[in-house]
Amino acid sequence: MQKFILSVCLSLFLYNSSYAQDDFAHSEIKFNIANTIAIATVEVGYEYFIDYNQSIDVQIHFNDRINYHTEKGSREFNTTSFLIGYNFYLTGDPQGSGIHISPMVKYRIGDFTETIVDDSGFITVEEDVSTDMSGFIIGIGGGYKFNFGNQFVFGPFVNIGRNFNEEIKDRFTAIEFNGGISIGYRF
């Protein structure tokens, strides 16, 4: 039994040491700076490269807004989204950069509230109307990623998805767009 444990430990050590000598960074943390500036949505993510041209992407979006709707007047988004995607880099660059396509699944939780004012009669009536924003979105995206020294990365991207929540479809639309400029650090 001790020989078995010793051989497993030795195998893991050799695997990790060969993996560590690889000069390719396998992890990336990223942030969508464009949407934070434009609409106050905070989108942060982690991308793990399973190969030089393929990665798994996990993101969380705070104050997620559908199709860049504003919060002017009495409208408020109280939403958070969780996204998982698979990125495939088409250019074959050994440092995970260039053109990429990204199928993805996103799940949003929260609600959208707006105050409707009816002043058509003798009395002005204000009513808060809430829309449940929870639901799945399936879509695909694409973009371009620039890589500098296999540490600093940035690039534009765009996503399109289909929302399966009927209440969102009735209030907004079933098709959602998202885009921005992602900046990140690889390690």
Side-chain angles (χ1 to χ4, degrees):
M1 182 66 172
Q2 289 177 337
K3 288 182 181 180
F4 176 72
I5 293 173
L6 182 61
S7 65
V8 169
C9 290
L10 181 62
S11 297
L12 288 174
F13 173 74
L14 291 175
Y15 173 75
N16 284 336
S17 64
S18 67
Y19 192 70
Q21 290 175 0
D22 186 7
D23 62 350
F24 180 71
H26 292 273
S27 296
E28 177 183 317
I29 54 173
K30 57 187 174 179
F31 174 69
N32 184 352
I33 189 73
N35 283 352
T36 301
I37 293 169
I39 59 172
T41 298
V42 178
E43 301 175 9
V44 294
Y46 173 77
E47 191 171 340
Y48 180 77
F49 284 85
I50 53 179
D51 199 359
Y52 72 93
N53 64 344
Q54 302 172 53
S55 67
I56 302 295
D57 191 8
V58 179
Q59 297 179 23
I60 186 167
H61 301 181
F62 300 101
N63 193 28
D64 188 25
R65 301 205 196 156
I66 184 170
N67 293 337
Y68 297 96
H69 281 275
T70 65
E71 289 187 321
K72 280 200 256 178
S74 302
R75 300 188 299 181
E76 180 180 335
F77 284 89
N78 184 21
T79 54
T80 301
S81 296
F82 306 94
L83 180 142
I84 186 163
Y86 170 79
N87 298 326
F88 185 75
Y89 293 85
L90 301 173
T91 56
D93 186 342
Q95 291 194 344
S97 62
I99 298 171
H100 61 88
I101 58 170
S102 309
M104 56 106 180
V105 175
K106 182 177 175 181
Y107 184 73
R108 181 185 295 123
I109 58 173
D111 61 2
F112 168 77
T113 306
E114 67 181 327
T115 303
I116 306 294
V117 178
D118 182 11
D119 59 357
S120 60
F122 293 108
I123 302 171
T124 301
V125 178
E126 291 186 9
E127 178 185 3
D128 286 339
V129 177
S130 182
T131 304
D132 181 21
M133 299 293 285
S134 300
F136 279 99
I137 298 120
I138 295 176
I140 191 161
Y144 192 91
K145 193 173 284 187
F146 298 92
N147 184 344
F148 296 99
N150 205 23
Q151 287 184 333
F152 178 72
V153 292
F154 79 96
F157 69 92
V158 65
N159 298 324
I160 185 170
R162 168 67 160 89
N163 194 317
F164 291 95
N165 180 325
E166 290 296 322
E167 195 172 347
I168 294 173
K169 188 177 95 172
D170 293 341
R171 170 60 181 89
F172 296 102
T173 180
I175 304 299
E176 294 192 21
F177 296 97
N178 185 30
I181 299 174
S182 178
I183 60 172
Y185 178 77
R186 289 198 180 155
F187 54 98

